[in-house]
Amino acid sequence: PLLVVVGDADPLVRPPDARACFEASGSSDREFVLMDAFNHQVHWGHVDLLLGKDAPRHVWPLVIDWLDART
């Protein structure tokens, strides 16, 4: 299984680069999530995805739900 979560304002892993890795994956169980201000209230940088003030409300539940669905 593969979950790719990328921030729209990430200067280290740009969304097109993350998408390319996602597309190159041979996994049949994969999901790509672009965290952006339109769907997730703020713009997301690299560290914001784990340590940002909005991460516990937006990112962590997404990851937990994804993992729970696969246990």
Side-chain angles (χ1 to χ4, degrees):
L2 174 67
L3 172 63
V4 175
V5 181
V6 64
D8 65 336
D10 190 334
L12 298 177
V13 180
R14 296 175 311 130
D17 298 332
R19 174 63 79 176
C21 291
F22 174 81
E23 295 297 336
S25 167
S27 176
S28 60
D29 179 9
R30 62 187 186 166
E31 184 174 347
F32 183 91
V33 179
L34 175 64
M35 301 297 292
D36 60 14
F38 182 76
N39 294 305
H40 306 102
Q41 295 184 348
V42 297
H43 290 287
W44 297 82
H46 195 76
V47 176
D48 297 324
L49 293 171
L50 291 177
L51 302 175
K53 67 179 174 69
D54 294 310
R57 188 175 28 168
H58 293 281
V59 183
W60 299 358
L62 181 143
V63 173
I64 290 168
D65 290 346
W66 188 87
L67 289 169
D68 282 346
R70 285 153 183 84
T71 57

Coordinates of all heavy atoms in Angstrom, one line a residue:
P1 N 0.8 -1.2 0.0 CA 0.0 0.0 0.0 C 0.9 1.3 0.0 O 1.9 1.3 0.6 CB -0.8 -0.1 1.3 CG -0.8 -1.5 1.6 CD 0.5 -2.1 1.1
L2 N 0.4 2.3 -0.6 CA 1.1 3.5 -0.7 C 0.2 4.7 -0.5 O -0.9 4.8 -1.2 CB 1.8 3.7 -2.1 CG 2.5 5.0 -2.4 CD1 3.7 5.2 -1.6 CD2 2.8 5.0 -3.9
L3 N 0.5 5.6 0.4 CA -0.2 6.8 0.6 C 0.8 7.9 0.4 O 1.9 8.0 1.1 CB -0.7 6.9 2.1 CG -1.3 8.2 2.5 CD1 -2.6 8.6 1.6 CD2 -1.7 8.2 3.9
V4 N 0.5 8.8 -0.5 CA 1.4 10.0 -0.8 C 0.6 11.2 -0.4 O -0.5 11.5 -0.9 CB 1.8 10.1 -2.3 CG1 2.5 11.4 -2.5 CG2 2.6 8.9 -2.7
V5 N 1.1 11.9 0.6 CA 0.5 13.2 1.1 C 1.5 14.3 0.8 O 2.6 14.2 1.3 CB 0.1 13.1 2.6 CG1 -0.5 14.4 3.0 CG2 -0.8 12.0 2.9
V6 N 1.1 15.3 0.0 CA 2.0 16.3 -0.4 C 1.4 17.7 -0.2 O 0.2 17.8 -0.4 CB 2.5 16.1 -1.9 CG1 1.4 16.3 -2.8 CG2 3.6 17.1 -2.2
G7 N 2.2 18.6 0.2 CA 1.7 20.0 0.4 C 1.8 20.8 -0.8 O 2.8 20.7 -1.6
D8 N 0.8 21.7 -1.1 CA 0.8 22.5 -2.3 C 1.9 23.5 -2.3 O 2.3 24.0 -3.3 CB -0.6 23.1 -2.5 CG -0.9 24.1 -1.4 OD1 -0.4 24.0 -0.3 OD2 -1.8 25.0 -1.7
A9 N 2.4 23.9 -1.1 CA 3.5 24.9 -1.0 C 4.8 24.3 -0.5 O 5.7 24.9 0.1 CB 3.1 26.0 -0.1
D10 N 5.0 23.0 -0.7 CA 6.2 22.3 -0.3 C 7.3 22.6 -1.2 O 7.3 22.2 -2.4 CB 5.9 20.8 -0.2 CG 7.0 20.0 0.4 OD1 8.2 20.5 0.4 OD2 6.7 18.9 0.9
P11 N 8.4 23.2 -0.7 CA 9.5 23.5 -1.6 C 10.5 22.4 -1.8 O 11.3 22.4 -2.7 CB 10.2 24.7 -0.9 CG 9.9 24.5 0.5 CD 8.5 23.9 0.6
L12 N 10.4 21.4 -0.9 CA 11.3 20.2 -0.9 C 10.8 19.1 -1.8 O 11.6 18.5 -2.6 CB 11.6 19.7 0.5 CG 12.3 20.7 1.4 CD1 12.4 20.1 2.8 CD2 13.6 21.1 0.9
V13 N 9.5 18.8 -1.7 CA 8.9 17.8 -2.5 C 7.7 18.4 -3.2 O 6.6 18.5 -2.7 CB 8.4 16.6 -1.7 CG1 7.8 15.5 -2.6 CG2 9.6 16.0 -0.9
R14 N 8.0 18.9 -4.4 CA 6.9 19.6 -5.1 C 5.9 18.6 -5.6 O 6.1 17.5 -5.9 CB 7.5 20.3 -6.3 CG 8.5 21.4 -5.9 CD 9.2 22.1 -7.1 NE 9.8 21.1 -8.0 CZ 9.5 21.1 -9.4 NH1 8.9 22.0 -9.9 NH2 10.0 20.1 -10.1
P15 N 4.6 19.1 -5.6 CA 3.5 18.2 -6.0 C 3.7 17.4 -7.3 O 3.4 16.2 -7.4 CB 2.3 19.1 -6.1 CG 2.6 20.2 -5.0 CD 4.1 20.4 -5.2
P16 N 4.3 18.1 -8.4 CA 4.5 17.3 -9.6 C 5.5 16.1 -9.4 O 5.4 15.1 -10.0 CB 5.0 18.3 -10.6 CG 4.6 19.6 -10.1 CD 4.6 19.5 -8.6
D17 N 6.5 16.4 -8.5 CA 7.5 15.3 -8.2 C 6.9 14.2 -7.4 O 7.1 13.0 -7.7 CB 8.7 15.9 -7.5 CG 9.5 16.9 -8.3 OD1 9.4 16.8 -9.6 OD2 10.1 17.8 -7.7
A18 N 6.0 14.5 -6.5 CA 5.3 13.5 -5.7 C 4.4 12.7 -6.6 O 4.3 11.5 -6.4 CB 4.6 14.2 -4.5
R19 N 3.7 13.4 -7.5 CA 2.8 12.7 -8.4 C 3.5 11.7 -9.3 O 3.1 10.6 -9.5 CB 2.0 13.8 -9.2 CG 1.2 13.2 -10.3 CD 0.0 12.3 -9.8 NE -1.1 13.1 -9.3 CZ -2.2 12.6 -8.9 NH1 -2.4 11.3 -8.9 NH2 -3.1 13.4 -8.4
A20 N 4.7 12.1 -9.7 CA 5.5 11.3 -10.6 C 5.9 10.0 -9.8 O 5.9 8.9 -10.4 CB 6.8 12.0 -11.1
C21 N 6.3 10.1 -8.6 CA 6.6 8.9 -7.8 C 5.4 8.1 -7.6 O 5.5 6.8 -7.7 CB 7.2 9.4 -6.4 SG 8.8 10.1 -6.6
F22 N 4.3 8.7 -7.3 CA 3.0 8.0 -7.2 C 2.7 7.2 -8.4 O 2.4 6.0 -8.4 CB 1.9 9.0 -6.8 CG 0.5 8.4 -6.8 CD1 0.1 7.7 -5.7 CD2 -0.3 8.5 -7.9 CE1 -1.2 7.2 -5.6 CE2 -1.6 8.0 -7.8 CZ -2.0 7.3 -6.7
E23 N 2.8 7.8 -9.6 CA 2.5 7.2 -10.8 C 3.4 6.0 -11.1 O 3.1 5.1 -11.8 CB 2.5 8.2 -12.0 CG 1.4 9.2 -11.9 CD 0.0 8.7 -11.9 OE1 -0.3 7.6 -12.5 OE2 -0.9 9.4 -11.4
A24 N 4.7 6.2 -10.7 CA 5.7 5.1 -11.0 C 5.5 3.9 -10.0 O 6.1 2.9 -10.3 CB 7.1 5.7 -10.8
S25 N 4.7 4.1 -9.0 CA 4.5 3.0 -8.1 C 3.8 1.8 -8.7 O 2.8 2.0 -9.5 CB 3.7 3.4 -6.9 OG 3.3 2.3 -6.1
G26 N 4.2 0.6 -8.4 CA 3.5 -0.5 -8.9 C 2.3 -1.0 -8.0 O 1.7 -2.0 -8.3
S27 N 2.1 -0.3 -7.0 CA 1.1 -0.7 -6.0 C -0.3 -0.6 -6.6 O -0.7 0.4 -7.3 CB 1.1 0.2 -4.8 OG 0.1 -0.2 -3.9
S28 N -1.1 -1.6 -6.3 CA -2.5 -1.5 -6.8 C -3.4 -0.9 -5.7 O -4.5 -0.5 -5.9 CB -3.1 -2.9 -7.0 OG -3.0 -3.7 -5.9
D29 N -2.8 -0.7 -4.5 CA -3.5 0.0 -3.4 C -2.7 1.3 -3.1 O -1.8 1.3 -2.3 CB -3.6 -0.9 -2.2 CG -4.2 -0.3 -1.0 OD1 -4.8 0.8 -1.1 OD2 -4.2 -0.8 0.1
R30 N -3.2 2.3 -3.7 CA -2.4 3.6 -3.6 C -3.4 4.8 -3.6 O -4.5 4.7 -4.2 CB -1.4 3.8 -4.6 CG -2.0 3.8 -6.0 CD -0.9 3.8 -7.1 NE -1.5 4.1 -8.4 CZ -0.8 4.4 -9.5 NH1 0.5 4.5 -9.4 NH2 -1.5 4.5 -10.6
E31 N -3.0 5.8 -2.9 CA -3.8 7.1 -2.8 C -2.9 8.3 -2.8 O -1.8 8.3 -2.1 CB -4.6 7.0 -1.5 CG -5.6 8.2 -1.4 CD -6.5 8.1 -0.2 OE1 -6.6 7.0 0.4 OE2 -7.2 9.1 0.1
F32 N -3.3 9.3 -3.6 CA -2.5 10.5 -3.6 C -3.4 11.6 -3.1 O -4.5 11.8 -3.5 CB -2.2 10.9 -5.1 CG -1.3 12.1 -5.3 CD1 0.0 12.0 -5.3 CD2 -1.9 13.3 -5.4 CE1 0.8 13.2 -5.5 CE2 -1.2 14.5 -5.6 CZ 0.2 14.4 -5.7
V33 N -2.8 12.4 -2.1 CA -3.6 13.5 -1.5 C -2.8 14.7 -1.6 O -1.6 14.8 -1.1 CB -3.9 13.2 0.0 CG1 -4.7 14.3 0.6 CG2 -4.7 11.9 0.2
L34 N -3.3 15.7 -2.2 CA -2.7 17.1 -2.3 C -3.4 17.9 -1.2 O -4.6 18.2 -1.3 CB -2.9 17.7 -3.7 CG -2.4 19.1 -3.8 CD1 -0.9 19.2 -3.6 CD2 -2.8 19.7 -5.2
M35 N -2.6 18.3 -0.3 CA -3.1 19.2 0.8 C -3.0 20.6 0.2 O -1.9 21.1 -0.1 CB -2.3 19.1 2.1 CG -2.3 17.7 2.6 SD -3.9 17.1 3.2 CE -4.2 18.1 4.6
D36 N -4.1 21.3 0.1 CA -4.1 22.7 -0.4 C -5.1 23.6 0.3 O -5.9 23.1 1.1 CB -4.4 22.7 -1.9 CG -5.8 22.1 -2.2 OD1 -6.6 21.9 -1.3 OD2 -6.0 21.7 -3.4
A37 N -5.0 24.9 0.1 CA -5.9 25.8 0.8 C -7.3 25.7 0.3 O -8.2 25.9 1.1 CB -5.4 27.2 0.5
F38 N -7.6 25.2 -0.9 CA -9.0 25.1 -1.3 C -9.7 24.0 -0.6 O -10.8 24.2 -0.1 CB -9.0 24.8 -2.8 CG -10.4 24.7 -3.4 CD1 -11.1 25.8 -3.6 CD2 -11.0 23.4 -3.7 CE1 -12.4 25.7 -4.1 CE2 -12.3 23.3 -4.2 CZ -13.0 24.5 -4.4
N39 N -9.1 22.8 -0.4 CA -9.8 21.7 0.3 C -9.4 21.6 1.8 O -10.1 20.9 2.5 CB -9.4 20.4 -0.4 CG -10.0 20.4 -1.8 OD1 -11.2 20.5 -2.0 ND2 -9.1 20.2 -2.8
H40 N -8.3 22.2 2.2 CA -7.8 21.9 3.5 C -7.4 23.2 4.3 O -6.6 23.2 5.1 CB -6.6 21.0 3.5 CG -6.9 19.7 2.8 ND1 -6.5 19.5 1.5 CD2 -7.6 18.6 3.1 CE1 -6.9 18.3 1.1 NE2 -7.6 17.8 2.0
Q41 N -8.0 24.3 4.0 CA -8.0 25.6 4.7 C -6.7 26.4 4.6 O -6.8 27.6 4.8 CB -8.4 25.4 6.1 CG -9.8 24.9 6.3 CD -10.2 24.8 7.8 OE1 -9.3 24.9 8.7 NE2 -11.4 24.7 8.1
V42 N -5.6 25.8 4.4 CA -4.3 26.6 4.4 C -3.4 26.0 3.3 O -3.6 24.9 2.8 CB -3.6 26.6 5.7 CG1 -4.4 27.2 6.8 CG2 -3.2 25.2 6.1
H43 N -2.4 26.7 3.0 CA -1.3 26.2 2.1 C -0.4 25.4 3.0 O -0.1 25.7 4.1 CB -0.6 27.3 1.4 CG -1.4 28.0 0.4 ND1 -1.7 27.4 -0.8 CD2 -2.0 29.2 0.4 CE1 -2.5 28.2 -1.5 NE2 -2.7 29.3 -0.8
W44 N 0.1 24.3 2.4 CA 0.9 23.3 3.2 C 2.3 23.2 2.7 O 2.6 22.9 1.5 CB 0.2 21.9 3.1 CG -1.1 21.9 3.7 CD1 -2.3 22.4 3.2 CD2 -1.5 21.5 5.1 NE1 -3.3 22.2 4.0 CE2 -2.9 21.7 5.2 CE3 -0.8 21.0 6.1 CZ2 -3.5 21.4 6.4 CZ3 -1.4 20.7 7.3 CH2 -2.8 20.9 7.4
G45 N 3.3 23.5 3.6 CA 4.7 23.3 3.3 C 5.1 21.9 3.8 O 4.3 21.1 4.2
H46 N 6.4 21.6 3.7 CA 6.9 20.3 4.0 C 6.7 19.9 5.5 O 6.2 18.9 5.8 CB 8.4 20.3 3.6 CG 9.0 18.9 3.6 ND1 8.8 18.1 2.5 CD2 9.8 18.2 4.4 CE1 9.5 16.9 2.7 NE2 10.1 17.0 3.9
V47 N 7.2 20.8 6.4 CA 7.0 20.5 7.8 C 5.6 20.7 8.3 O 5.2 20.0 9.2 CB 8.0 21.4 8.6 CG1 7.9 21.3 10.1 CG2 9.5 21.2 8.2
D48 N 4.8 21.5 7.6 CA 3.4 21.7 8.0 C 2.6 20.4 8.0 O 1.7 20.3 8.8 CB 2.7 22.7 7.0 CG 3.3 24.1 7.0 OD1 3.8 24.5 8.1 OD2 3.4 24.7 6.0
L49 N 3.0 19.5 7.2 CA 2.2 18.2 7.1 C 2.3 17.4 8.3 O 1.3 16.7 8.6 CB 2.7 17.4 5.9 CG 2.5 18.0 4.5 CD1 3.2 17.2 3.5 CD2 1.0 18.1 4.2
L50 N 3.3 17.5 9.1 CA 3.4 16.7 10.3 C 3.4 17.6 11.6 O 2.8 17.2 12.6 CB 4.7 15.9 10.4 CG 4.8 14.8 9.4 CD1 6.1 14.1 9.5 CD2 3.7 13.8 9.7
L51 N 4.0 18.8 11.5 CA 4.2 19.6 12.7 C 3.4 20.9 12.7 O 3.4 21.6 13.7 CB 5.6 19.9 12.9 CG 6.6 18.7 13.1 CD1 8.0 19.1 13.2 CD2 6.2 17.8 14.3
G52 N 2.7 21.2 11.6 CA 2.0 22.5 11.5 C 0.8 22.5 12.5 O 0.3 21.4 12.9
K53 N 0.3 23.7 12.8 CA -0.8 23.8 13.8 C -2.0 23.2 13.3 O -2.9 22.7 14.0 CB -1.0 25.2 14.2 CG -1.5 26.2 13.1 CD -1.7 27.6 13.6 CE -2.0 28.5 12.5 NZ -3.3 28.4 11.9
D54 N -2.2 23.1 11.9 CA -3.4 22.4 11.4 C -3.3 21.0 11.1 O -4.2 20.3 10.7 CB -3.8 23.2 10.1 CG -4.2 24.6 10.4 OD1 -5.1 24.8 11.3 OD2 -3.7 25.5 9.7
A55 N -2.1 20.4 11.2 CA -1.8 19.0 10.9 C -2.7 18.1 11.8 O -3.2 17.1 11.2 CB -0.3 18.7 11.1
P56 N -2.8 18.3 13.1 CA -3.6 17.4 13.9 C -5.1 17.3 13.4 O -5.7 16.3 13.6 CB -3.5 17.9 15.3 CG -2.2 18.7 15.3 CD -2.1 19.3 13.9
R57 N -5.6 18.3 12.9 CA -7.0 18.4 12.5 C -7.2 17.9 11.0 O -8.2 17.3 10.7 CB -7.5 19.8 12.6 CG -9.0 20.0 12.3 CD -9.4 21.4 12.6 NE -8.3 22.3 12.3 CZ -8.4 23.6 12.2 NH1 -9.6 24.1 12.3 NH2 -7.4 24.3 11.9
H58 N -6.2 18.0 10.2 CA -6.4 17.7 8.8 C -5.6 16.5 8.3 O -6.1 15.6 7.6 CB -6.0 18.9 7.9 CG -7.0 20.0 8.0 ND1 -8.2 20.0 7.4 CD2 -6.9 21.2 8.7 CE1 -8.8 21.2 7.7 NE2 -8.0 21.9 8.5
V59 N -4.3 16.4 8.6 CA -3.4 15.4 8.1 C -3.4 14.1 9.0 O -3.6 13.0 8.4 CB -1.9 15.9 8.0 CG1 -1.0 14.8 7.4 CG2 -1.9 17.2 7.2
W60 N -3.3 14.3 10.3 CA -3.2 13.1 11.1 C -4.4 12.2 11.0 O -4.3 11.0 10.8 CB -3.0 13.5 12.6 CG -1.7 14.2 12.8 CD1 -0.7 14.5 11.9 CD2 -1.2 14.7 14.0 NE1 0.3 15.2 12.5 CE2 0.0 15.4 13.8 CE3 -1.8 14.8 15.3 CZ2 0.7 16.0 14.8 CZ3 -1.1 15.4 16.3 CH2 0.2 16.0 16.1
P61 N -5.7 12.7 11.0 CA -6.8 11.8 10.9 C -6.8 11.1 9.5 O -7.3 10.0 9.4 CB -8.0 12.8 11.0 CG -7.5 14.0 11.8 CD -6.1 14.1 11.3
L62 N -6.4 11.8 8.5 CA -6.3 11.2 7.1 C -5.4 10.0 7.1 O -5.8 9.0 6.6 CB -5.8 12.3 6.1 CG -5.7 11.9 4.7 CD1 -6.1 13.1 3.8 CD2 -4.3 11.5 4.4
V63 N -4.2 10.2 7.7 CA -3.3 9.1 7.8 C -3.8 7.9 8.7 O -3.7 6.8 8.3 CB -1.9 9.6 8.3 CG1 -0.9 8.4 8.5 CG2 -1.3 10.6 7.3
I64 N -4.3 8.3 9.8 CA -4.9 7.3 10.7 C -6.0 6.5 10.0 O -6.0 5.2 10.1 CB -5.3 7.9 12.0 CG1 -4.1 8.4 12.8 CG2 -6.2 6.9 12.9 CD1 -4.4 9.3 14.0
D65 N -6.9 7.2 9.4 CA -8.0 6.5 8.7 C -7.5 5.6 7.6 O -8.0 4.5 7.4 CB -9.0 7.5 8.1 CG -9.8 8.2 9.2 OD1 -9.8 7.7 10.4 OD2 -10.5 9.2 8.9
W66 N -6.5 6.0 6.9 CA -5.9 5.3 5.8 C -5.3 4.0 6.3 O -5.5 2.9 5.8 CB -4.9 6.1 5.0 CG -4.4 5.5 3.8 CD1 -5.0 5.5 2.5 CD2 -3.2 4.7 3.6 NE1 -4.2 4.8 1.6 CE2 -3.1 4.3 2.3 CE3 -2.2 4.2 4.5 CZ2 -2.1 3.5 1.8 CZ3 -1.2 3.4 4.0 CH2 -1.2 3.1 2.7
L67 N -4.5 4.1 7.4 CA -3.9 3.0 8.1 C -4.9 2.0 8.6 O -4.8 0.8 8.5 CB -2.9 3.4 9.1 CG -1.7 4.1 8.7 CD1 -0.9 4.7 9.8 CD2 -0.8 3.1 7.9
D68 N -5.9 2.6 9.3 CA -7.0 1.7 9.9 C -7.7 0.9 8.9 O -8.1 -0.2 9.1 CB -8.0 2.6 10.7 CG -7.5 3.0 12.0 OD1 -6.5 2.5 12.5 OD2 -8.1 3.9 12.6
A69 N -7.9 1.4 7.7 CA -8.6 0.7 6.6 C -7.8 -0.4 6.1 O -8.3 -1.3 5.4 CB -8.9 1.7 5.5
R70 N -6.5 -0.5 6.5 CA -5.6 -1.6 6.0 C -5.1 -2.5 7.1 O -4.2 -3.3 6.8 CB -4.5 -0.9 5.2 CG -4.9 -0.4 3.9 CD -4.1 0.7 3.4 NE -4.6 1.2 2.2 CZ -5.6 2.1 2.1 NH1 -6.2 2.6 3.1 NH2 -6.1 2.5 0.9
T71 N -5.8 -2.5 8.2 CA -5.4 -3.4 9.3 C -6.4 -4.4 9.5 O -7.6 -4.3 9.1 CB -5.1 -2.6 10.6 OG1 -6.2 -1.9 11.0 CG2 -3.9 -1.7 10.4

